[in-house]
Amino acid sequence: MISLLARIFLKPDGKTEAQLRKDYGILCGAAGIGFNVLLFLGKFFAGTISGSIAITADAFNNLSDAGSSFVTLLGFQLAGQKPDSDHPFGHGRIEYLSGLAVAMLIILMGFELAKSSLDKILHPAPVDSSWLVIAILCVSICVKLYMSFYNRSLGKKLNAPAMLATAADSLSDSVATTAVLIATLVGRFSGLMIDGWCGILVAAFILWSG
């Protein structure tokens, strides 16, 4: 999909390597915002109808990822500006700052998720998981794996730390959502209330990624 969007919106004719780098960064940032907002809406709906704190927290993790994608987009936009009197060597270092901002957002969300999950462990409640909820989680895992793949591929190609950070975040999100899916299936077929413990595991993955 990213390759298709690049062919449609990115015209390489007459552009320097720096300009193409900026365009690819902005395109990936915009795609990340779109994907993560859709995942947030789907998971928030799934978490609401199931009563799962792990799914709801995972949804807000995707919302924070949309913010991270915006930071990445902004970083490439600013880094692509021409040198000026205050920045005679250009604005390329802004990309490193945007990568740092992504990491900080990930860590903040990890702590918030750990806190919510601990509350669910202390005050357990049954989770109602339908096949629709399970399907939403499966689709989310596939989307996040795809996002990790294209961000890592382009991050290496363009030597972009912010995109590599986003790729690592997307991979950890897919693992975290897999843990949520397993907990959901366990709860559905065994009745064990491990939702809060799963949330703690998700938080650990998020903090590791950050």
Side-chain angles (χ1 to χ4, degrees):
M1 179 178 177
I2 294 299
S3 298
L4 176 62
L5 292 175
R7 285 196 295 268
I8 295 173
F9 295 106
L10 303 185
K11 305 300 181 184
D13 299 336
K15 291 186 177 181
T16 65
E17 183 178 342
Q19 288 173 325
L20 284 174
R21 189 172 187 272
K22 171 186 171 182
D23 290 345
Y24 267 106
I26 292 174
L27 175 64
C28 289
I33 293 171
F35 279 133
N36 281 307
V37 168
L38 289 175
L39 289 176
F40 164 73
L41 294 174
K43 287 183 184 177
F44 185 76
F45 172 74
T48 300
I49 63 176
S50 67
S52 169
I53 184 63
I55 297 176
T56 301
D58 202 21
F60 279 97
N61 181 39
N62 288 139
L63 188 61
S64 75
D65 290 339
S68 298
S69 295
F70 176 77
V71 170
T72 301
L73 187 154
L74 184 63
F76 272 97
Q77 177 66 37
L78 295 176
Q81 294 179 358
K82 295 180 180 180
D84 53 37
S85 58
D86 294 326
H87 306 86
F89 299 103
H91 300 74
R93 290 185 179 179
I94 293 178
E95 285 186 34
Y96 295 94
L97 294 177
S98 65
L100 177 62
V102 170
M104 291 175 66
L105 286 171
I106 295 169
I107 291 171
L108 177 61
M109 183 54 60
F111 279 117
E112 288 297 319
L113 176 54
K115 184 170 131 183
S116 299
S117 299
L118 181 60
D119 183 66
K120 189 65 179 283
I121 292 172
L122 297 175
H123 306 93
V127 175
D128 182 18
S129 303
S130 65
W131 287 111
L132 175 61
V133 171
I134 293 171
I136 290 173
L137 292 176
C138 290
V139 170
S140 175
I141 293 168
C142 293
V143 171
K144 277 296 183 176
L145 286 173
Y146 171 70
M147 291 176 68
S148 177
F149 169 77
Y150 77 71
N151 274 293
R152 175 174 288 276
S153 177
L154 287 174
K156 288 183 176 181
K157 179 180 178 180
L158 303 176
N159 189 27
M163 294 179 71
L164 292 174
T166 302
D169 181 34
S170 296
L171 181 60
S172 70
D173 284 344
S174 67
V175 174
T177 303
T178 299
V180 173
L181 174 62
I182 292 172
T184 301
L185 291 172
V186 169
R188 178 180 177 86
F189 293 109
S190 71
L192 294 175
M193 292 186 287
I194 61 172
D195 192 46
W197 292 105
C198 177
I200 291 291
L201 181 61
V202 171
F205 276 115
I206 293 172
L207 289 170
W208 173 80
S209 174

